[in-house]
Amino acid sequence: MRSLVATSGTASGASGRGLRLLVRLACARPLVTVLLGVLGAVAALTYTVRQLGFVTSGRDLLPHGQPFVQREQEYSDDFPRLDQLVVAVEADDVARSKAYARRLAQELRKDRDTFAHVTYRIDPGRFRGRELLYLSRHDLADLADDVVDHRRFLTAFAARPTLDELVDGLRTEVVTAFVRNAFDLGLDDADANVDLGAARDVLDQISTRLDRRVPYRSPWRSLFSLKRGDGDAGYFLSDDERLLFVLVEARREHGSFTAYRDAIGPLRAAMARVQTEFPGVRAGLTGAPVLSNDQMAAAFRDSKRATVLAFVLTFAVLAVAFRGRGMPIVLLAVLALSLCWSLGIVTLVVGHLSIFSVMFLSIVVGLGTDYGVYLLLRNAEEIALGRPAREALEVTAMRAGPGMLGGALAAAGAFYVLMATDFPGIQELGFISGTSVIVAWFAMMTLLPALVLLVKSRRDASDVPRRDGGHARVRFVDAMTHRPRLVLALAGVATALSVFALHGVRFDYNLLNLQARGTESVDWEERILRAAGRSSFVALSTAGSLDELRERAAAFEGLASVSEVESVLSLIPPEQAAKAQVLAELAPVVEAVAVGPPETVDAGRLLVALRTLQRRLDLAADEAPAGHDRDQVVSLRDQTAALVRRLERADPAAVAPALLPLQDRLRGDLAHTLRRLKQNLHPTPIALDDVPPQLRRRFVGRSGRFLLQIQPKVDIWDRAGAEQFVGELRTVDPDVTGTPVIGFETTRYMERAYKQGTLYAFLLVGVLTALTIRRARETALAMIALGLGTLWTAGLMFLFGLPFNLGNLFGFPLVVGAGAEFGVNVVLRYVEGREHGGPLLPRGTFLAVLFNGLTTVAGFGSLMIAAHRGIFGLGLLLTLGMIATLGASLIVLPVLLGWAEPRVTVEPTAVEQWRPARGAVSDEAA
């Protein structure tokens, strides 16, 4: 690990001599060393700018060998229209949403090079004459029954389409309904009630029109079970009609920073322009490509901010540690050069960054400076003993270098452990960060000594601690070691509470909770989920034929966890032959009805018809038993009586003009309804060739296979819901894939990888700690302190309400690797103090460990400025982990070391001042 002072028994030997030789070579020509470092950094940075790419597809970060990943890749290749940009439009009036969609489509279609297809509606004209085939057999049978039941009424009103004829027809319909109900034999719905809604609505419109014009309400659609008019036909609307969707197929730019960035930017700009023309209309952009784009853009933006903040915070800590700005600037300059080297290596070996690895800069800033801090503080001690600058650096490298190398290997090893996982994204993060740590250590062992020589040749040693400051005792440590029982009791309580709290740290499976706060795509995705019960995250399956497609769709729809199955069958209705037979039997009835010419309103005949209706209702009210039906009759009778009184008082000459528009609308509406029915009486079958191209591209693959998109009914972001959904889907198709399946399996694999990674990190750190300390008891105590800090991290997560998620799950191995150095350096200095006398944890070592812990906290804590909640969570976890392990190493570990073995009186060894030696520094003199 990183040691300020090492004894001859632990850190000298071959590694010490090799590191001394490395520093000697770097310092032989310090200016040449620095120039080579700068030129290497410039070359690496130039190469990086030209060649480094960015992986934006989440698929590229998943374990490639898993069947569900391979299947999803096959589906993506076979169905290239899966990734669509979704514009959700919301307005108080759906007509304004339609107008906005039309205007936006016009704007986007001007740029065919960017937007290949824009769809917000399927032209219903393609299916004219075949609309009724989309009704279920049950609904179609109800429609046929309605027409047959009302045949006489329709024929009479169509022949003479006047208001008085309509009222006469209503009278007959009311009587027939009550007779049918009175002699109901219980073969139908026993709870059926007489529905007088159409009659009440007609009378209400007649009464209201006597005073003023009001919007027309058709009685025919409710009478014949026609629930939706032509106005909304073909539009992509949510079930509650609050949201209208515009689907945009953009041309993907494979070489760009994000695959759809060059389309998303212009699309949002077009939406903003159109928005100015439609005040009050709200529109947002979402969809899987947009969510991915926004996530990567946020991560890249956060990475730049976090890196700058990490440098600023680290500089502030170093300025306090060195009581000046000179050495901190030198140290950070060396770190910056090492990061340039690392970027060159990353570009050469990996070739790209991902949403995981893009944050490695901030992580390495905090860790990379530690090696320089240890080197400079130990070098200050050697300078204080009177050694010349060059020789002090060589002695520092030989004595403290092996511990620094061990620390670098431990931290890098914790990152390299991540390469044992199955996820390319995490593997890359492990390689990139681990390699960057090693490169930073190398820069601190070569460039930093050379720069120190160059700087010290031009100025005095002002940025070093006082001559005797390194060996002074620390009062805080003394106070802790004098109260061992209290410290260990408090540590035990904290550990017990942390173990208990570990069970309360939940796992957040919701991928949307990893996105940046306030991101438009996330907000609209959640809004669509609430309003429409739909999501961009659907499961995927395929079928080889239409028959297999129908069978598989029916099987999926029968599952308790499935809300809807979308496929090309949405436009190829089932049971077409049986439905055509129902329509053929209805044809003679409908075709015999002909609508007569318009007539004037006869106020007298209308009044007579209303009086007759009133008398019929009086009789029905007297004979009907108490209950719902009688209440309906009484209400309609009172409404009719009121209308009769109004007409009796009204001027006959004024009645006709007031009611003529209503009579004409009723006639025209019936003619349109009948015409629509007649057009659908002899439909031709709807086949695959009739499906519009925009839907065929989406649901029919290049191979000819058919796609099924399965919407979940359960909460797939909850573990139980996801497990139920995926488990049930696999009973139908074992190879089902899609975001819910991948998310579920990814979480399982990452949970396992996190546990294995933490265990491997502990084992690796344990081995390196044993090799560095070379004493079983002290090694065990150092690992105990590390274990306590790791457990306390879990307790702090519970205290801060920080859940595990896919963004921070691999943080614990990093806590183990990065936090191990603190305890090891405390132990190494304790061993030296025990063997040679003096304080067991002198001020120099205490401050070195403390300030290095603070620089690591600064680097990790800088991630917390991220708007991306996954990155924020990772930064918070690592920060809490560093604080916990640092506290365990500086508070509990000294007590354990002093309490674990009896006191031994040791004669202090005098610190001998340096005497000039002939020739180079020898191993013995050092």
Side-chain angles (χ1 to χ4, degrees), residues 101-225:
R102 283 193 296 270
R103 184 69 183 88
L104 179 62
Q106 292 173 359
E107 282 290 309
L108 299 181
R109 285 166 182 160
K110 295 177 182 177
D111 188 2
R112 293 287 185 180
D113 293 336
T114 303
F115 306 108
H117 302 282
V118 182
T119 310
Y120 61 92
R121 186 190 188 197
I122 298 172
D123 182 11
R126 299 178 60 92
F127 305 98
R128 185 164 291 119
R130 297 181 286 184
E131 294 99 324
L132 294 183
L133 291 178
Y134 288 99
L135 294 177
S136 67
R137 285 188 65 182
H138 179 269
D139 290 340
L140 188 58
D142 286 346
L143 174 62
D145 291 342
D146 287 340
V147 173
V148 173
D149 290 344
H150 303 299
R151 179 178 184 178
R152 291 180 59 187
F153 168 58
L154 285 174
T155 303
F157 179 75
R160 186 173 172 273
T162 61
L163 288 176
D164 57 275
E165 190 65 44
L166 177 62
V167 173
D168 276 336
L170 291 175
R171 171 177 54 80
T172 304
E173 291 296 309
V174 169
V175 172
T176 302
F178 273 96
V179 170
R180 187 184 301 118
N181 240 31
F183 291 97
D184 183 11
L185 298 179
L187 299 179
D188 298 320
D189 185 1
D191 295 327
N193 296 311
V194 174
D195 184 10
L196 302 179
R200 284 199 306 271
D201 190 49
V202 169
L203 296 183
D204 180 66
Q205 291 195 67
I206 294 174
S207 178
T208 306
R209 291 262 181 166
L210 292 174
D211 297 325
R212 65 186 186 280
R213 282 182 172 271
V214 293
Y216 170 74
R217 301 187 300 275
S218 173
W220 311 120
R221 293 191 181 105
S222 61
L223 195 62
F224 300 123
S225 305

Side-chain angles (χ1 to χ4, degrees), residues 540-575:
L540 304 175
S541 180
T542 61
S545 65
L546 285 176
D547 290 337
E548 182 186 2
L549 180 63
R550 289 192 180 94
E551 179 181 350
R552 183 159 289 185
F556 280 130
E557 288 171 346
L559 299 176
S561 59
V562 173
S563 67
E564 184 182 0
V565 178
E566 294 179 312
S567 69
V568 74
L569 293 179
S570 302
L571 290 178
I572 303 178
E575 303 178 298

Side-chain angles (χ1 to χ4, degrees), residues 51-63:
Q51 300 296 328
L52 185 64
F54 295 89
V55 170
T56 60
S57 172
R59 186 187 307 115
D60 296 330
L61 307 177
L62 297 173

Side-chain angles (χ1 to χ4, degrees), residues 317 370 374 476-477 480 782 784-793 796 815-816 818-826 841 845-858 860 878-894:
V317 173
D370 291 2
Y374 279 120
F476 173 77
V477 174
M480 294 298 102
I784 287 173
L786 180 61
L788 290 177
T790 306
L791 282 176
W792 294 353
T793 302
L796 290 173
V815 169
V816 172
E821 62 154 296
F822 306 136
V824 172
N825 282 287
V826 170
L841 185 59
T845 301
F846 181 88
L847 291 179
V849 173
L850 175 63
F851 283 118
N852 278 315
L854 293 178
T855 58
T856 305
V857 168
F860 291 161
L878 295 176
T879 300
L880 296 176
M882 290 301 96
I883 293 173
T885 52
L886 182 63
S889 300
L890 292 180
I891 299 175
V892 179
L893 183 55

Side-chain angles (χ1 to χ4, degrees), residues 441-723:
W441 169 85
F442 180 77
M444 296 302 170
M445 296 297 295
T446 54
L447 277 182
L448 183 59
L451 271 173
V452 167
L453 285 181
L454 291 176
V455 171
K456 295 303 180 182
S457 66
R458 288 172 166 75
R459 54 182 295 182
D460 59 8
S462 59
D463 287 348
V464 296
R466 291 182 300 173
R467 180 184 180 91
D468 59 347
H471 297 286
R473 302 180 69 90
V474 181
R475 294 181 180 177
F476 173 77
V477 174
D478 289 342
M480 294 298 102
T481 55
H482 290 158
R483 298 173 177 83
R485 288 184 174 84
L486 176 61
V487 172
L488 294 180
L490 293 175
V493 171
T495 303
L497 292 175
S498 297
V499 171
F500 178 77
L502 182 60
H503 299 285
V505 180
R506 64 185 179 88
F507 198 107
D508 186 358
Y509 296 92
N510 194 336
L511 297 178
L512 295 180
N513 289 341
L514 299 181
Q515 297 275 8
R517 295 182 180 88
T519 302
E520 177 196 34
S521 55
V522 177
D523 291 344
W524 278 94
E525 180 69 24
E526 293 175 340
R527 187 179 301 187
I528 292 170
L529 190 59
R530 290 192 302 269
R534 302 172 60 82
S535 172
S536 299
F537 303 106
V538 296
L540 304 175
S541 180
T542 61
S545 65
L546 285 176
D547 290 337
E548 182 186 2
L549 180 63
R550 289 192 180 94
E551 179 181 350
R552 183 159 289 185
F556 280 130
E557 288 171 346
L559 299 176
S561 59
V562 173
S563 67
E564 184 182 0
V565 178
E566 294 179 312
S567 69
V568 74
L569 293 179
S570 302
L571 290 178
I572 303 178
E575 303 178 298
Q576 296 188 55
K579 294 174 184 178
Q581 180 62 34
V582 173
L583 292 172
E585 294 172 358
L586 182 63
V589 177
V590 177
E591 289 173 344
V593 179
V595 180
E599 297 191 19
T600 59
V601 174
D602 189 329
R605 296 185 66 168
L606 175 59
L607 184 57
V608 171
L610 288 168
R611 287 170 176 165
T612 305
L613 175 61
Q614 181 182 353
R615 289 194 296 271
R616 289 289 189 180
L617 293 173
D618 284 336
L619 293 173
D622 292 339
E623 296 173 359
H628 176 272
D629 289 351
R630 186 180 187 282
D631 294 339
Q632 291 289 305
V633 172
V634 171
S635 175
L636 183 60
R637 180 197 62 188
D638 294 342
Q639 186 179 5
T640 306
L643 181 56
V644 168
R645 289 193 296 271
R646 289 201 61 187
L647 287 174
E648 290 174 343
R649 294 193 301 266
D651 181 4
V655 170
L659 297 182
L660 183 60
L662 174 61
Q663 180 173 283
D664 289 343
R665 286 295 301 274
L666 286 166
R667 175 192 173 277
D669 188 15
L670 177 63
H672 174 75
T673 302
L674 288 173
R675 184 166 57 251
R676 182 180 173 192
L677 283 173
K678 291 176 180 180
Q679 290 173 345
N680 282 269
L681 294 175
H682 305 287
T684 57
I686 298 175
L688 183 60
D689 292 340
D690 297 309
V691 176
Q694 58 266 42
L695 288 186
R696 193 161 55 244
R697 287 193 302 268
R698 181 179 176 185
F699 289 112
V700 182
R702 292 168 174 170
S703 65
R705 294 188 65 83
F706 300 99
L707 179 70
L708 298 95
Q709 293 184 327
I710 309 152
Q711 289 278 351
K713 184 184 293 183
V714 297
D715 183 4
I716 59 172
W717 307 122
D718 175 74
R719 180 59 176 268
E723 193 167 4

Side-chain angles (χ1 to χ4, degrees), residues 335 339 359-369 432-433 436-437 440:
L335 179 64
L339 290 176
M359 305 306 296
F360 86 96
L361 291 174
S362 301
I363 294 174
V364 175
V365 167
L367 289 173
T369 55
I432 291 171
S433 298
S436 298
V437 168

